Amino acid sequence: MARSSVLSEATRVEPTSDDRDRAAEINRAGAELSQAILRLPSGQEIALSESLVAVLIASAGQLSQGHGVTVLATEVCLTPAEAGELLGLSRPFVARLLDAGEIPSEHLPDSKHRLVRLVDVLEFQARRERRRAGRRRLADAVQAADLPH
């Protein structure tokens, strides 16, 4: 049975200019916001939990900057191609990362195909960003020291 793409089924929001303005308001209030109430069209009000408020604030921050937001559970499993799409890398390069153990993966039973947990992809991306930031700081320090070549 063919597997449908996790990314194509994910909730994706691309902000309009009105969304950006409203998201910016939420983002500005974010530091002070620990509780929020959702009012339904019927007038019923639902108090949002702290975790839902955190998701709202994080999403508002991205939307206010004009970035799209995709909602996925961290436990979701991706194909190497989907992981590559999220990371902005090619599928073959992701396959090499999987082979090297840089990103954990599991083989499907009786198959050569692999799946990768989204949380592992996000952890890899965070490590990659930390290394990139470290290299930038090192290069800035060398340049500031004005060392001879």
Side-chain angles (χ1 to χ4, degrees), residues 88-100:
L89 304 172
S90 70
R91 186 207 48 78
F93 187 73
V94 170
R96 287 195 298 274
L97 292 170
L98 300 179
D99 292 342

Side-chain angles (χ1 to χ4, degrees), residues 3 77-80 104-108 113-117:
R3 177 182 180 274
C77 287
L78 307 170
T79 65
S105 65
E106 296 178 17
H107 281 276
L108 293 173
H113 297 287
R114 294 182 275 200
L115 290 179
V116 183
R117 294 180 327 145

Side-chain angles (χ1 to χ4, degrees), residues 79-131:
T79 65
E82 291 168 332
E85 186 177 338
L86 282 177
L87 294 169
L89 304 172
S90 70
R91 186 207 48 78
F93 187 73
V94 170
R96 287 195 298 274
L97 292 170
L98 300 179
D99 292 342
E102 292 288 324
I103 304 173
S105 65
E106 296 178 17
H107 281 276
L108 293 173
D110 300 322
S111 174
K112 64 179 182 169
H113 297 287
R114 294 182 275 200
L115 290 179
V116 183
R117 294 180 327 145
L118 176 60
V119 70
D120 292 329
V121 172
L122 297 176
E123 287 173 3
F124 168 80
Q125 185 177 34
R127 284 193 314 272
R128 191 172 181 213
E129 285 300 316
R130 284 192 302 271
R131 284 192 299 260

Side-chain angles (χ1 to χ4, degrees), residues 23 26-27 33 36 48 51-61 63:
I26 293 169
N27 195 41
L33 193 61
L48 300 181
S51 57
L52 286 174
V53 171
V55 169
L56 175 64
I57 293 168
S59 298
L63 292 170

Side-chain angles (χ1 to χ4, degrees), residues 15-29 60 62-66:
T16 64
S17 59
D18 186 45
D19 292 334
R20 287 180 72 171
D21 295 341
R22 290 179 186 210
E25 288 178 50
I26 293 169
N27 195 41
R28 281 191 294 275
Q62 294 301 312
L63 292 170
S64 70
Q65 295 174 34

Side-chain angles (χ1 to χ4, degrees), residues 132-147:
R132 184 176 291 145
R135 285 192 301 271
R136 272 194 299 263
R137 284 193 303 274
L138 185 60
D140 291 346
V142 167
Q143 186 174 8
D146 199 31
L147 298 173

